[in-house]
Amino acid sequence: MEAAAGRGMEAVARSSERAGAAMRSRAEVDATLQTAKLNPAELLPAVHCLSFGPQAGGGECCLLQLEPGLCAELEAGRSLIIRGEKDEHAVLCSKDKTYDMKIADTSNMLLFVPGCKTPEELKADQASCNIIHSQIAGFSKNYWELRRCRPKLKKLRTLLMEDPYEGPDSQKDQTSTFSKYTTEDLLNLIQASEEEILHQLQVIDACKIEGYWRILDFDYEMKLLNHVTQLIDSESWPLSKVPLCACLEELGSLEPRQMIEHVLLSYGRKYVDDGEVFFEMHEDKICRAIAQMLLQNAVKFNLSEFEEVWQQSVPEGMTTRLDQLQGLALVDRSLRPETIFLLKVEDLPEDNQERFNSLFGIREKWTEVDITPYIQDLCAEKQTVGALLTKYARSSMLNGVKVYNSRRPIS
């Protein structure tokens, strides 16, 4: 807080600094104001006479500029946490948001004065002493600015993929030397708020096994999903009403019940009907997973052949569509025959410029429809895909279609 109740207090502060901690009289204050060529009638009658305390020094305190919402959180007793390792740019996290931190310099000296009253408080307190002697506890010429930013969540998946869970019988899981992570570990390592981290754990279908967060190995996940879809088919259950208890009873001898329920939660919506738990299976997500299984071992796949094999591979009653593969696979219609290949958005860089460099390295020109699934997650709050493209790409027309290419040479 700047220690001034009105114009002219800087002169008083400088004079007080020279005079040390001596108590000053009204006459001395008036003389200082006259030297500064200030009219006392234009100022509030109360005057702060400032002197540096014995422990006052620069660099010992940091100022943080907070928006009203964050101030309210602190006043309510909640914490704000600075997160980041030595090689990372620090971020500040509330319970549910993440902010970039940047030092801002100011031309004015900012003084820390405990108990200092603002002009508004002095106006409200008419009984204030005419001369208020205050000690400066510290000072600074800069402060931390906060700007809302996207949580840095790519590292979360990277850490959990170091040791994916391959099932209870996996020898690898029993002998692995990789670290496993609790919620507390992830809060210390990931630059995001607690709510953002927990939400992302749901998005990537992580599950807690013996107190540690794990991602299922994709082959093991497909094995579990295959058990469930085969049971649905053999029992002729509608995809909108798959009973949890029956699944656990029938498949419990093949796989741990926790894993059966986890795959149902990952590929379905849980609900209760007449006291019994059911799942409505997500057709799009199941079709997408099976497409990934087909594409993961091929560099490129003939598009028409892939579509035929894909439709034959999904459970009966499900219909495959290419729009189910947004952010997972890319179709190349410039080749003959047309091809499709695996390109997962989670494998791309998290930094905006690096993401665009990577995409333009894969394909020189993109339509907005094709590139949108691969940059949508980069959009900041209230930012659109169009705004991102304007900043990082150059548009042109190709055969009557608007396409985007890089603004800078790609090596």
Side-chain angles (χ1 to χ4, degrees):
M1 179 186 295
E2 289 187 65
R7 260 183 355 107
M9 293 303 103
E10 239 182 287
V12 178
R14 285 198 295 270
S15 177
S16 297
E17 182 183 346
R18 289 192 296 271
M23 303 293 279
R24 299 179 64 77
S25 67
R26 182 75 216 190
E28 289 174 310
V29 171
D30 288 341
T32 302
L33 293 176
Q34 187 174 3
T35 301
K37 297 181 180 179
L38 295 171
N39 182 2
E42 296 177 355
L43 307 175
L44 292 174
V47 177
H48 277 290
C49 283
L50 306 179
S51 61
F52 283 91
Q55 305 300 322
E60 296 179 3
C61 301
C62 292
L63 286 171
L64 192 62
Q65 187 181 63
L66 299 178
E67 61 184 38
L70 290 178
C71 281
E73 290 207 27
L74 287 178
E75 289 166 354
R78 290 188 284 273
S79 300
L80 300 178
I81 302 170
I82 295 174
R83 292 195 168 115
E85 298 191 79
K86 289 182 179 179
D87 60 340
E88 296 172 326
H89 184 81
V91 299
L92 183 136
C93 300
S94 65
K95 183 74 174 174
D96 61 348
K97 294 181 180 69
T98 304
Y99 298 84
D100 264 330
M101 301 178 67
K102 182 182 177 183
I103 291 180
D105 293 320
T106 174
S107 58
N108 294 324
M109 178 78 77
L110 301 172
L111 305 177
F112 307 145
V113 184
C116 178
K117 290 188 176 182
T118 65
E120 291 76 17
E121 290 171 323
L122 289 170
K123 285 178 182 177
D125 184 9
Q126 297 296 333
S128 289
C129 177
N130 195 249
I131 297 180
I132 304 168
H133 293 275
S134 302
Q135 281 199 335
I136 299 167
F139 60 88
S140 178
K141 288 189 175 181
N142 53 47
Y143 59 94
W144 286 99
E145 274 185 333
L146 300 181
R147 180 176 294 179
R148 179 80 186 275
C149 67
R150 298 193 320 273
K152 296 170 173 57
L153 295 165
K154 184 179 176 67
K155 185 178 177 182
L156 175 61
R157 187 181 188 91
T158 301
L159 291 176
L160 297 185
M161 285 303 293
E162 290 174 352
D163 188 24
Y165 184 68
E166 297 182 356
D169 301 326
S170 169
Q171 290 298 317
K172 178 185 169 185
D173 202 64
Q174 296 168 17
T175 59
S176 174
T177 57
F178 285 104
S179 298
K180 294 183 177 70
Y181 302 97
T182 62
T183 302
E184 192 63 34
D185 294 331
L186 295 176
L187 288 173
N188 290 330
L189 291 167
I190 306 302
Q191 292 186 286
S193 69
E194 183 174 356
E195 284 190 16
E196 288 167 331
I197 290 172
L198 293 175
H199 173 71
Q200 186 65 13
L201 286 167
Q202 285 187 321
V203 170
I204 63 177
D205 294 324
C207 64
K208 258 190 179 181
I209 300 174
E210 298 177 352
Y212 298 100
W213 285 103
R214 309 290 298 275
I215 288 181
L216 302 192
D217 174 78
F218 184 68
D219 290 340
Y220 180 58
E221 186 176 323
M222 288 299 96
K223 178 183 174 185
L224 292 169
L225 181 60
N226 188 51
H227 284 323
V228 170
T229 55
Q230 285 189 348
L231 180 63
I232 292 171
D233 184 58
S234 66
E235 297 291 338
S236 299
W237 290 329
L239 293 170
S240 59
K241 198 168 187 178
V242 177
L244 172 62
C245 286
C247 286
L248 296 179
E249 191 174 321
E250 292 292 331
L251 302 176
S253 60
L254 301 175
E255 297 292 345
R257 287 175 168 241
Q258 180 191 359
M259 293 296 97
I260 299 300
E261 185 166 4
H262 174 69
V263 82
L264 285 167
L265 284 166
S266 298
Y267 290 92
R269 180 185 65 85
K270 186 177 182 179
Y271 67 97
V272 177
D273 184 19
D274 199 22
E276 188 176 353
V277 177
F278 293 93
F279 285 87
E280 178 184 6
M281 305 309 291
H282 295 317
E283 180 176 329
D284 288 353
K285 193 169 183 180
I286 293 171
C287 291
R288 182 183 175 91
I290 292 171
Q292 181 177 338
M293 181 181 67
L294 295 172
L295 290 168
Q296 66 179 354
N297 296 319
V299 177
K300 285 192 176 181
F301 214 125
N302 179 299
L303 179 60
S304 60
E305 291 178 3
F306 165 76
E307 288 183 298
E308 184 179 345
V309 173
W310 183 26
Q311 182 59 59
Q312 292 171 353
S313 303
V314 300
E316 190 175 347
M318 291 190 179
T319 303
T320 58
R321 304 184 317 275
L322 287 177
D323 66 346
Q324 293 166 337
L325 307 184
Q326 290 186 354
L328 176 70
L330 190 61
V331 173
D332 190 341
R333 299 192 183 277
S334 66
L335 300 177
R336 291 294 178 269
E338 296 173 341
T339 61
I340 185 170
F341 60 96
L342 199 65
L343 181 61
K344 297 191 286 185
V345 66
E346 61 260 30
D347 292 339
L348 297 172
E350 195 169 34
D351 175 77
N352 287 18
Q353 188 61 65
E354 290 178 15
R355 173 78 63 89
F356 275 92
N357 289 348
S358 179
L359 290 170
F360 288 125
I362 293 167
R363 176 183 286 182
E364 183 183 358
K365 296 180 185 292
W366 291 74
T367 64
E368 185 172 348
V369 171
D370 283 346
I371 202 171
T372 293
Y374 293 103
I375 62 172
Q376 208 157 22
D377 63 310
L378 299 180
C379 291
E381 194 175 23
K382 298 180 181 177
Q383 189 178 31
T384 64
V385 166
L388 272 179
L389 288 170
T390 299
K391 183 174 181 180
Y392 294 100
R394 181 181 289 110
S395 66
S396 59
M397 299 301 290
L398 180 65
N399 299 326
V401 177
K402 182 183 278 191
V403 293
Y404 295 88
N405 63 290
S406 178
R407 284 187 172 273
R408 56 178 66 185
I410 301 296
S411 56

